[in-house]
């Protein structure tokens, strides 16, 4: 459910191509724009609710939420379908082209972009004008789209914020104060340099993972990813060049496992084996370490995420979209609100390492209890909740930074980190290719 660096991604070329072969403005495959449903005041009808890989672990929870809703609204029948993660977005594309999208559909950030950009989702800000105040601002804002004003195309569901996880024993061995973790990208690199200099090669500071670090690191450094019109990438700055040069220096010094630059190492195994100081910035990771590496868990400490001078963190969010032309908009809206209300989100969060996007849910004492301050999992939950309450959106990956763009940027950055080209060339080539991909995509849509 979570990622080490929280970012919005887009789909693979195959999926995008399949969508572009269909409508660019509505759910039907004919190319005709589908009119948006309008509420009638009648909460009734049979609606379909699709979730992403929640069975069988959460069957009891989800079915209980549905049963309670149907009891509250006896005129509504909710048909629940749960589908596997593999091929989920391709299935959405096929259903959209066939006019068979569910009335209420669970969307990850990439599938949200896929459907939202092509006008396949209802504007819930219009269908439900008072809803914004029910949710954490950073989560609500995440489901806006560039150039669409204040329209919002999904209800936020469960969310995960960034935190900072580190091995305090290894931290102290480097001569660093365990109670003063890094707060900016630049300071994080300073600490990594110190760790590399004192570890003797026995452990590293952090995973290289440039695809996971970008564009988040650059955003936190105040580097403009896009221009004001959001129609061109502008990250080719001296600050971005300095970031690449610093990564190259740290890589050469052994601050990162060498293999982590080009392939995904098992970060849980490395951290759990005492070979890594900084773990992924995910509360779920802390729970995994507690279960799988109790000795390392005892040395694990958590703090607020590295935010930089702008105070931004990333948020990974799942959402519930409403089919644009649903036959039962009142039932669909009320059900989506029901699933994402405070009590239901809190109940879900107690079964999984997630957080409510609902503001009242996040105020539940469960998310403020720090215990005695020594248990990392308890602290992670409280710290994550604190950050979510005031989270800014800016460290989330913009929708224009697709998988293709990210891969193109990373290819050039990797070459610079390994010394195949200089940092300035890498950043310039990355921006040029990113803009080529952006404009090619705009031309097709």
């Amino acid at each position: 459910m979570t990622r080490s660096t929280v970012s919005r991604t887009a789909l693979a070329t195959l999926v995008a191509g399949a969508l572009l072969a269909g409508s660019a403005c509505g759910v039907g495959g004919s190319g005709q724009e589908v009119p948006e449903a309008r509420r009638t005041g009648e909460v009734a009808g049979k609606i379909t609710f699709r979730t992403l890989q929640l069975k069988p672990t959460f069957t009891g929870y989800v079915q209980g939420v549905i049963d309670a809703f149907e009891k509250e609204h006896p005129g509504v029948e909710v048909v629940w379908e749960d589908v596997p993660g593999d091929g989920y977005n391709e299935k959405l594309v096929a259903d959209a082209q066939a006019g068979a999208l569910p009335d209420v559909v669970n969307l990850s950030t990439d599938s949200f972009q896929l459907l939202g950009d092509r006008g396949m989702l209802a504007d819930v800000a219009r269908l439900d004008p008072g809803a914004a105040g029910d949710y954490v601002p950073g989560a609500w804002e995440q489901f806006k789209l560039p150039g669409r004003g204040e329209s919002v195309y999904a209800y936020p569901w469960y969310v995960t914020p960034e935190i900072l996880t580190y091995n305090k024993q290894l931290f102290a061995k480097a001569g660093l104060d365990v109670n003063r973790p890094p707060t900016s990208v630049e300071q994080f690199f300073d600490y990594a340099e110190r760790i590399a200099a004192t570890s003797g090669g026995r452990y590293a500071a952090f995973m290289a993972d440039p695809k996971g670090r970008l564009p988040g690191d650059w955003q936190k450094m105040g580097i403009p990813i896009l221009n004001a019109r959001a129609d061109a990438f502008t990250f080719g700055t001296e600050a971005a060049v300095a970031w690449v040069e610093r990564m190259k220096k740290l890589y050469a010094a052994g601050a990162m496992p060498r293999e982590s630059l080009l392939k995904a190492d098992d970060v849980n195994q490395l951290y759990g084996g005492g070979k890594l100081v900084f773990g992924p910035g995910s509360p779920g990771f802390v729970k995994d370490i507690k279960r799988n590496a109790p000795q390392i868990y005892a040395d694990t400490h958590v703090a607020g995420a590295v935010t930089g001078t702008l105070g931004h963190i990333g948020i990974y969010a799942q959402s519930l979209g409403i089919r644009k032309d649903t036959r039962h908009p009142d039932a669909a809206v009320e059900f989506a609100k029901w699933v994402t209300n405070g009590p239901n989100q809190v109940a879900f969060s107690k079964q999984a390492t997630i957080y409510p996007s609902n503001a009242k849910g996040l105020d539940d004492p469960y998310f403020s209890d720090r215990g005695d301050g020594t248990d990392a999992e308890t602290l992670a939950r409280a710290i994550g909740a604190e950050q979510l309450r005031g989270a800014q959106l800016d460290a989330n990956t913009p929708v224009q930074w697709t998988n293709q763009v990210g891969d193109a940027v990373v290819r050039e950055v990797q070459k610079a980190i390994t010394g195949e080209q200089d940092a300035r060339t890498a950043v310039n080539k990355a921006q040029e290719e990113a803009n080529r991909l952006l404009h090619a995509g705009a031309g097709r849509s």
Side-chain angles (χ1 to χ4, degrees):
M1 290 183 183
T2 62
R3 291 175 289 184
S4 58
T5 298
V6 187
S7 62
R8 169 175 286 161
T9 59
L11 297 176
T13 305
L14 176 65
V15 180
L19 175 63
L20 289 165
S23 169
C25 54
V27 297
S30 65
Q32 298 298 314
E33 184 170 1
V34 174
E36 188 162 5
R38 299 198 174 266
R39 298 187 69 168
T40 65
E42 183 182 6
V43 183
K46 183 177 181 179
I47 60 172
T48 304
F49 173 44
R50 179 181 295 171
T51 55
L52 172 59
Q53 207 166 315
L54 294 183
K55 290 182 177 180
T57 305
F58 303 106
T59 297
Y61 166 76
V62 176
Q63 191 59 57
V65 170
I66 292 171
D67 292 345
F69 179 79
E70 290 180 336
K71 184 177 180 180
E72 185 79 11
H73 299 280
V76 179
E77 178 186 355
V78 179
V79 178
W80 176 30
E81 58 180 50
D82 186 75
V83 299
D86 290 343
Y88 186 68
N89 292 309
E90 290 88 339
K91 180 172 175 56
L92 285 177
V93 169
D95 288 344
Q97 291 178 321
L101 274 179
D103 299 280
V104 180
V105 58
N106 180 185
L107 301 171
S108 62
T109 49
D110 56 359
S111 50
F112 163 74
Q113 180 196 343
L114 173 68
L115 299 184
D117 277 356
R118 298 313 191 268
M120 298 176 178
L121 300 173
D123 177 3
V124 298
R126 183 188 64 79
L127 287 174
D128 190 8
D134 293 338
Y135 300 91
V136 176
W140 179 258
E141 296 284 327
Q142 187 160 357
F143 298 104
K144 293 182 176 181
L145 290 167
R148 307 281 184 90
E150 295 302 306
S151 294
V152 175
Y153 294 94
Y155 287 95
W157 194 7
Y158 56 90
V159 297
T160 308
E162 288 181 278
I163 61 170
L164 187 69
T165 304
Y166 57 100
N167 184 315
K168 58 187 178 183
Q169 183 183 43
L170 299 182
F171 207 73
K173 280 186 177 181
L176 300 169
D177 185 345
V178 297
N179 296 313
R180 297 184 64 185
T183 58
S184 69
V185 174
E186 296 85 352
Q187 189 179 40
F188 181 85
F189 284 167
D190 290 342
Y191 282 28
E193 185 174 12
R194 177 74 174 269
I195 290 164
T198 57
S199 70
R202 294 184 298 276
Y203 48 87
F206 66 101
M207 302 293 280
D209 187 24
K211 187 169 185 179
R213 301 197 68 84
L214 295 176
D217 274 10
W218 288 351
Q219 290 167 306
K220 292 174 182 179
M221 294 168 67
I223 296 170
I225 305 302
L226 292 157
N227 64 8
R229 296 185 302 277
D231 61 2
F233 287 106
T234 57
F235 55 77
T237 63
E238 290 305 316
V241 172
W243 182 92
V244 176
E245 290 175 339
R246 194 75 191 275
M247 285 284 285
K248 177 182 178 180
K249 181 179 179 182
L250 290 168
Y251 185 69
M256 316 165 214
R258 298 196 70 80
E259 299 81 4
S260 68
L261 180 63
L262 300 174
K263 68 181 184 69
D265 283 0
D266 187 343
V267 64
N268 288 47
Q269 186 175 10
L270 286 171
Y271 184 89
K275 300 296 184 182
L276 201 65
V277 175
F278 293 103
S282 159
F285 170 76
V286 178
K287 186 174 184 177
D288 290 342
I289 292 299
K290 184 177 185 177
R291 180 174 59 249
N292 299 320
Q295 185 174 353
I296 296 298
Y297 177 79
D299 286 326
T300 294
H301 196 57
V302 294
V306 170
T307 62
T309 56
L310 302 180
H312 297 156
I313 69 166
I315 304 170
Y316 175 65
Q318 292 277 332
S319 65
L320 295 182
I322 306 294
R323 174 177 166 157
K324 185 176 183 181
D325 63 343
T326 176
R327 293 175 58 196
H328 305 291
D330 293 270
V333 165
E334 292 304 318
F335 179 69
K337 288 175 65 176
W338 180 270
V339 174
T340 61
N341 71 24
N344 283 329
Q345 288 210 42
V346 171
F348 197 10
S349 299
K350 290 181 178 179
Q351 296 189 34
T353 310
I354 55 176
Y355 294 76
S357 61
N358 186 282
K360 290 182 179 178
L362 200 59
D363 285 338
D364 189 280
Y366 177 71
F367 298 101
S368 58
D369 179 16
R370 287 175 169 254
D372 62 3
T374 62
D375 180 67
E377 184 181 9
T378 304
L379 273 176
R381 183 168 58 243
I383 289 170
E386 287 173 6
Q387 298 205 144
L388 272 173
R389 290 187 185 98
Q392 300 294 321
L393 183 63
D394 304 63
N396 286 318
T397 307
V399 295
Q400 294 86 346
W401 188 284
T402 64
N403 271 344
Q404 285 181 290
V405 169
D407 288 343
V409 173
V410 167
R411 278 195 299 271
E412 302 304 330
V413 167
Q414 286 172 334
K415 292 176 186 177
I417 292 174
T418 57
E420 295 179 51
Q421 64 183 356
D422 66 85
R424 166 50 68 185
T425 298
V427 171
N428 286 347
K429 289 172 68 175
Q431 180 171 287
E432 180 180 348
E433 181 62 11
N435 278 318
R436 186 191 71 77
L437 291 167
L438 176 64
H439 297 148
R444 286 195 304 268
S445 62

